[in-house]
Amino acid sequence: IESERIGSRIQKVRIGLPEFVKAPFPLGSYVTAVTWNCIPRCYSTAKSDDHSFTLLVSFSGGGCGARFFRDTPVGSTVLFYGPFDDFPYRHGTGRPKVFFATSTGIAPFRMMLDEAIEEKVHSTIYLGSPKESDIALRNEFEELQKEHPNLVTFSPVLSNSDESWKGARGYVTDYIPKNAEAIKKSDIYICGIPPMTFGVLSALEAIGVPKKQIFVQRFG
């Protein structure tokens, strides 16, 4: 029912739900879209309400799912399975939350951030992206940081930024040893491409974060 390009790498797609579907979806859930009528592709839900859910689709790999959502016009009917709930938000731990993501991996953390704010625990978001124009949901995260300065820290990290960029540079893994003491006391959530995921896990192990505090989206 809506489709919007974010920078050069991401399509934000909103899907309307039929009346018989129970919603909203659980935090951290994902759905499987049947693209081109036969090819399944998994996507985390960035938002969900009683009538719709929102996906972020990456074009970086040029895969069939990306081409499908690029070429399928608003008003089309798409078959989905799910939601599948294998990446839940952990309530009541009392620990701050640290979210590591690259590109569209930020999707499940959008609703988790709302939940952390509701719990009144601090959240830090490290979002890796090549360029400033490709930062997904930037306006929403910056607005939440402005509304809740004591609860939200949004830190996009650019690996191929222009000279005008004033924020963090490099990769999200660079900021783990720099913030080791705070990170060791936090619940860690990771969603993104495998090299980033494995890199973050290695860096967390190096500073001694307990495994019980680390949660990874693995798409089933």
Side-chain angles (χ1 to χ4, degrees):
I1 57 177
E2 292 179 11
S3 187
E4 173 190 356
R5 181 64 63 88
I6 299 174
S8 62
R9 300 167 60 88
I10 298 170
Q11 195 82 7
K12 181 181 176 184
V13 182
R14 184 166 166 242
I15 309 295
L17 289 169
E19 292 184 0
F20 61 82
V21 174
K22 183 179 180 181
F25 295 169
L27 297 178
S29 62
Y30 72 93
V31 293
T32 299
V34 181
T35 65
W36 307 111
N37 295 319
C38 62
I39 303 172
R41 285 294 181 266
C42 297
Y43 299 98
S44 295
T45 54
K47 291 184 178 179
S48 175
D49 56 37
D50 290 342
H51 307 290
S52 68
F53 63 93
T54 299
L55 308 177
L56 300 177
V57 181
S58 173
F59 290 95
S60 58
C64 63
R67 296 195 306 273
F68 175 80
F69 284 106
R70 178 196 65 195
D71 298 340
T72 300
V74 170
S76 301
T77 298
V78 183
L79 176 63
F80 287 87
Y81 291 96
F84 303 102
D85 182 17
D86 70 342
F87 190 45
Y89 177 90
R90 273 68 178 183
H91 293 86
T93 69
R95 289 185 290 267
K97 313 297 179 187
V98 179
F99 301 109
F100 289 98
T102 49
S103 187
T104 57
I106 196 64
F109 302 147
R110 177 60 190 86
M111 290 193 292
M112 287 188 184
L113 181 58
D114 286 340
E115 198 71 12
I117 292 171
E118 185 71 19
E119 278 200 299
K120 299 191 183 321
V121 296
H122 187 271
S123 296
T124 302
I125 303 161
Y126 293 103
L127 172 57
S129 184
K131 295 183 177 295
E132 186 175 1
S133 61
D134 298 321
I135 299 173
L137 306 180
R138 178 182 182 179
N139 291 341
E140 294 185 33
F141 287 122
E142 288 183 342
E143 188 63 29
L144 287 169
Q145 181 175 243
K146 189 180 301 182
E147 292 175 5
H148 307 279
N150 297 322
L151 292 176
V152 178
T153 300
F154 178 51
S155 181
V157 182
L158 303 189
S159 58
N160 190 26
S161 60
D162 297 331
E163 292 184 3
S164 60
W165 173 247
K166 304 301 183 184
R169 299 171 184 266
Y171 298 95
V172 296
T173 48
D174 299 336
Y175 294 85
I176 294 174
K178 294 177 182 179
N179 300 281
E181 291 307 310
I183 287 174
K184 283 194 289 187
K185 299 174 184 177
S186 303
D187 289 334
I188 313 298
Y189 295 80
I190 309 167
C191 185
I193 59 175
M196 182 280 291
T197 297
F198 291 124
V200 169
L201 289 172
S202 296
L204 295 175
E205 182 179 11
I207 66 171
V209 178
K211 290 184 179 180
K212 68 178 183 179
Q213 294 170 211
I214 302 173
F215 313 104
V216 180
Q217 170 61 279
R218 294 188 174 90
F219 279 144

